[in-house]
Amino acid sequence: MEGNQRWVKGEPQNPNRDPARRQALAQEQKPFAAVLSCIDSRVPPELIFDVGLGDLFATRTGAEVVSPVVTGSVEYGPLANGTPLIVVLGHQRCGAIKAAHAALSDGETLPGNLAEIVTALQPAYEQAAAAGGDDPVDAMVRAQAELTANDLRSNPDLAPLVAEQELAIVSAYYSLDTGAVEVLSGALS
C-alpha cells in the first residue's frame, strides 16, 4: 500500500527494476504477495503498487474470473513459496463486467468464450442487483472482488493458512480516476 501511495502521488520509486535485481532473482524468487487482477491494460499490478521484478506473483484474468488453472496459479505463491498475501483486485470501469452486466440484464449471449465469463459473473450480478444503488456495474466490480476473495479464503488448501494467520486474503478496488487502491475486505497483516 506504501507503493500505491507513491503511485497516487506521482512519485514512484520503480524499485527492483535493474540488471542487478534480475541477476539476484535468476535462481530463486520470494514474492511478498500474489495479486489476482483483471486483464485490463490500465491496471498493471507492478506499476500501481510501485514494485518490481520478483515482488509479486501476478495472475490476470477478465474480471478476476477463476477456473481450476487460475486458482492453481494463485495457490502457487502461498503453497509452494510461502507468499503471505493474496490480493484480489477489481477496478473501476471494468469492461468485462460492464459487458457481462449488459448481457445478463438483456438476456443476451456474448460470442465465443466470453459467455463463460458472463456465467462466472452471475453471482456478482445477482449480489449487485440485490444491493441496488446508483452504479450497478461498479457494485458488480466490488462484489466480484469480494466473492473471489471469499472463495479463496474457503479454498481447502488455503483456508488452513488463513486460519493460522500465515496468509491474508484481501479484496480491493482500484480507482482509474485517482490511482488509489481501497481495501474492501480482509486485513493486511
Side-chain angles (χ1 to χ4, degrees):
M1 293 303 285
E2 290 173 15
N4 180 248
Q5 287 303 306
R6 293 191 301 270
W7 173 254
V8 169
K9 293 177 186 175
E11 301 170 354
Q13 294 176 356
N14 303 311
N16 301 326
R17 297 182 189 177
D18 57 23
R21 177 67 169 182
R22 183 184 68 233
Q23 188 62 37
L25 293 170
Q27 299 302 316
E28 184 178 44
Q29 63 177 330
K30 197 74 171 164
F32 62 83
V35 177
L36 172 59
S37 64
C38 188
I39 60 170
D40 194 296
S41 65
R42 303 167 292 178
V43 189
E46 291 84 357
L47 294 181
I48 66 173
F49 288 112
D50 192 30
V51 296
L53 191 62
D55 291 332
L56 300 177
F57 285 114
T59 306
R60 297 174 74 172
T61 68
E64 309 82 59
V65 168
V66 295
S67 67
V69 171
V70 172
T71 301
S73 297
V74 174
E75 288 173 340
Y76 178 80
L79 297 179
N81 219 302
T83 304
L85 174 64
I86 296 172
V87 177
V88 179
L89 184 63
H91 69 91
Q92 184 180 31
R93 295 187 203 97
C94 178
I97 288 185
K98 183 178 178 182
H101 185 275
L104 290 164
S105 296
D106 300 337
E108 295 179 12
T109 301
L110 295 181
N113 286 308
L114 294 176
E116 296 297 322
I117 295 174
V118 173
T119 299
L121 291 173
Q122 178 86 33
Y125 174 81
E126 291 170 1
Q127 183 173 319
D134 295 338
D135 189 342
V137 172
D138 197 65
M140 193 172 159
V141 167
R142 292 168 183 269
Q144 176 62 13
E146 291 192 47
L147 288 168
T148 301
N150 287 339
D151 285 347
L152 291 170
R153 286 185 198 107
S154 64
N155 172 297
D157 294 310
L158 298 177
L161 297 174
V162 172
E164 295 166 14
Q165 297 184 336
E166 293 177 16
L167 174 65
I169 301 176
V170 172
S171 65
Y173 175 88
Y174 177 68
S175 169
L176 293 172
D177 292 338
T178 67
V181 172
E182 167 194 354
V183 174
L184 300 174
S185 67
L188 297 170
S189 304

